[in-house]
């Protein structure tokens, strides 16, 4: 009896009237999970230093984010999450992490994404058959639009002024793709370019070191007006830099368990480590990002149990907080922010009837419908239409997610098929 009561409460909670938690004004942690374990998650660190783990799973009961969360890109009101081994991109509301869509068609070994004009450009290492390419996903329809052939080994990608800059870790180049003209060029750098950071009109590219610390690091400074290398910065041989981020004044570089700083104004390196974490993992820190005056460092530990996030001040390098997060944390991102505008945004609301239904599902929404999509609770797309009346008779009995795309935004709700 208790199980039946719980199930009824769960269905009603998801269908009628409970507002969703919003994860705002904090920091998101993408946890890669174990390769092949399908346990990728996202953690949220609030401004009050409270950690909420697996926010996607909490918002979407019964649904898994996927296998090997590689990267996350924030854009407008969505987040684009790239799942490497799943060969999939999940698109979620970036305030609530409500599932919106899954895209897997045409994705082979996807890695990172950049978004421009409602299109996500996803680097794909591909296969021996396909080679490397960019997958272009139309975020208004959440479908693969086309692919663009590029050199192999594509990893991190960044968009600047309508151009895509792509690091090829298996080569010694930065690809430059002009979205408007569709022209593809290449800039020669050193081996293993691993990070791309923009400061003003310059792109700083970290090169030379493998994730486990072998090789000699260097930084290439690319003029974004001419797309040419303007200077090369020699990194001291003792600094095995692989991760790099910036606060605009310094470049922060990981060297296994330590963090070093390069002052941009004076073109000088600190001779001693700014931060020493004591991480004993053979790869050192698994990720590092600088956000709002703090350095966030990921400790993957044994890659099986929960990892840790360490937070250090950029003022003096002292440890501020330690958090327990998901399995294999790899990147940190600034979360969506509270909307402080005095202009109230348009709120798209949707309702459906009858609910539960056996055949027809009528959709009521306060804006013009552009597209309607039905997903099962595993995130698989089942129906796509532009009608306000859907025939769902062919669906098996169960709970489904309905996403409605309108001219003013998206809204979603759940319904029951009897």
């Amino acid at each position: 009896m208790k199980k039946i009561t719980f199930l009824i409460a769960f269905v009603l909670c998801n269908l009628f009237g409970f507002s969703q938690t919003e994860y705002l004004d904090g920091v998101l942690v993408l946890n890669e999970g174990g390769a092949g374990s399908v346990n990728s998650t996202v953690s949220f660190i609030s401004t009050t230093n409270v950690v909420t783990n697996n926010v996607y799973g909490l918002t979407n009961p019964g649904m898994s984010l996927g296998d090997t969360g590689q990267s996350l890109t924030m854009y407008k009101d969505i987040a684009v999450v790239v799942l490497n081994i799943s060969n999939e991109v999940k698109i979620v509301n970036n305030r609530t992490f409500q599932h919106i869509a899954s895209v897997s068609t045409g994705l082979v070994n996807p890695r990172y994404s950049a978004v421009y004009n409602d299109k996500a450009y996803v680097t794909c290492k591909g296969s021996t058959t396909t080679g490397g390419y960019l997958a272009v996903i139309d975020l208004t329809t959440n479908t693969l639009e086309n692919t663009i052939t590029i050199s192999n080994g594509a990893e991190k990608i960044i968009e600047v002024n309508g151009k895509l800059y792509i690091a090829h870790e298996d080569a010694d180049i930065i690809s430059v793709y002009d979205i408007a003209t569709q022209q593809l060029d290449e800039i020669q750098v050193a081996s293993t370019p691993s990070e791309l950071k923009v400061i003003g009109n310059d792109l700083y590219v970290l090169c030379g070191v493998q994730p486990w610390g072998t090789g000699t690091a260097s930084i290439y400074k690319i003029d974004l007006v001419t797309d040419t290398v303007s200077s090369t910065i020699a990194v001291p041989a003792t600094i095995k830099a692989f991760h790099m981020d910036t606060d605009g004044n310094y470049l922060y570089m990981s060297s296994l368990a330590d963090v070093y700083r390069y002052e941009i104004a004076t073109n000088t390196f600190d001779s001693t480590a700014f931060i020493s974490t004591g991480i004993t993992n053979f790869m050192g820190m698994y990720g590092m990002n600088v956000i709002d005056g703090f350095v966030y460092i990921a400790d993957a530990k044994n890659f099986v149990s929960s990892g840790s996030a360490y937070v250090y001040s950029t003022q003096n390098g002292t440890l501020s907080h330690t958090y327990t997060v998901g399995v294999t944390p790899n990147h940190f991102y600034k979360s969506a922010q509270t909307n402080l505008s005095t202009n109230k945004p348009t709120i798209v609301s949707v309702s459906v009837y009858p609910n539960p239904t056996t055949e027809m599902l009528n959709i009521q929404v306060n804006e013009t419908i552009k597209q309607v999509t039905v997903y099962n609770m595993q995130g698989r797309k089942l129906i796509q239409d532009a009608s306000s009346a859907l025939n769902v008779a062919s669906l098996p009995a169960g709970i489904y997610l309905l996403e409605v795309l309108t001219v003013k935004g998206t809204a979603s709700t759940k319904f029951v098929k009897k």
Side-chain angles (χ1 to χ4, degrees), residues 19 44 82 168 201 229 259 356:
S19 61
F44 173 72
V82 179
H168 296 262
N201 290 321
V229 175
V259 175

Side-chain angles (χ1 to χ4, degrees), residues 103-404:
V103 181
S104 57
T105 302
L107 298 179
V108 180
N109 204 352
R111 303 293 290 172
Y112 294 87
S113 70
V115 182
Y116 181 73
N117 277 355
D118 294 334
K119 297 184 193 298
Y121 296 83
V122 183
T123 58
C124 294
K125 286 193 169 181
S127 64
T128 54
T129 303
T130 65
Y133 62 96
L134 290 176
V136 184
I137 297 173
D138 186 334
L139 295 175
T140 65
T141 61
N142 298 322
T143 56
L144 181 72
E145 181 178 275
N146 67 298
T147 60
I148 302 165
T149 300
I150 56 176
S151 295
N152 289 336
E155 288 279 350
K156 292 195 173 175
I157 179 173
I158 190 168
E159 181 274 325
V160 185
N161 298 325
K163 291 183 179 180
L164 301 172
Y165 294 82
I166 306 153
H168 296 262
E169 284 196 12
D170 294 349
D172 53 359
I173 59 171
I174 301 297
S175 289
V176 183
Y177 180 76
D178 188 311
I179 297 172
T181 66
Q182 300 183 13
Q183 180 175 332
L184 180 65
D185 296 306
E186 294 180 347
I187 302 172
Q188 197 78 25
V189 292
S191 64
T192 324
S194 60
E195 294 283 10
L196 306 170
K197 299 299 170 183
V198 175
I199 303 174
N201 290 321
D202 296 304
L203 174 65
Y204 290 81
V205 183
L206 179 62
C207 303
V209 173
Q210 299 290 335
W212 47 88
T214 59
T216 302
S218 61
I219 299 171
Y220 279 67
K221 185 178 176 182
I222 296 173
D223 186 319
L224 291 171
V225 176
T226 62
D227 286 338
T228 58
V229 175
S230 58
S231 64
T232 304
I233 303 167
V235 178
T238 54
I239 301 177
K240 301 299 183 182
F242 182 73
H243 303 289
M244 182 177 76
D245 207 346
T246 183
D247 60 3
N249 297 313
Y250 292 91
L251 292 172
Y252 295 78
M253 282 162 278
S254 71
S255 181
L256 296 176
D258 300 327
V259 175
Y260 288 82
R261 295 197 306 182
Y262 170 82
E263 189 172 19
I264 296 166
T266 61
N267 298 316
T268 56
F269 279 94
D270 291 341
S271 59
T272 57
F274 180 63
I275 296 170
S276 294
T277 66
I279 292 173
T280 57
N281 185 298
F282 78 100
M283 294 177 69
M285 61 192 73
Y286 201 65
M288 182 201 72
N289 295 97
V290 180
I291 302 173
D292 293 341
F294 292 95
V295 181
Y296 290 78
I297 292 173
D299 183 358
K301 297 188 179 294
N302 61 2
F303 299 89
V304 176
S305 57
S306 296
S308 293
Y310 308 125
V311 185
Y312 293 83
S313 168
T314 58
Q315 296 296 313
N316 51 27
T318 58
L319 181 65
S320 172
H321 293 92
T322 299
Y323 303 102
T324 299
V325 292
V327 177
T328 319
N330 64 7
H331 292 95
F332 302 88
Y333 306 88
K334 190 170 182 174
S335 75
Q337 302 296 294
T338 300
N339 186 0
L340 299 179
S341 171
T342 56
N343 296 319
K344 293 184 179 180
T346 300
I347 298 174
V348 179
S349 62
V350 61
S351 61
V352 295
Y353 69 93
N355 193 10
T357 184
T358 57
E359 183 176 358
M360 297 304 298
L361 185 71
N362 297 294
I363 303 166
Q364 289 186 323
V365 65
N366 59 340
E367 300 293 341
T368 302
I369 293 176
K370 292 178 65 178
Q371 182 176 277
V372 176
T373 309
V374 175
Y375 301 91
N376 65 15
M377 297 307 291
Q378 288 70 49
R380 182 183 175 189
K381 184 191 302 182
L382 302 176
I383 298 174
Q384 193 163 68
D385 205 330
S387 173
S388 61
L390 289 182
N391 189 328
V392 297
S394 62
L395 296 178
I399 302 174
Y400 294 89
L401 176 68
L402 176 76
E403 179 214 347
V404 181

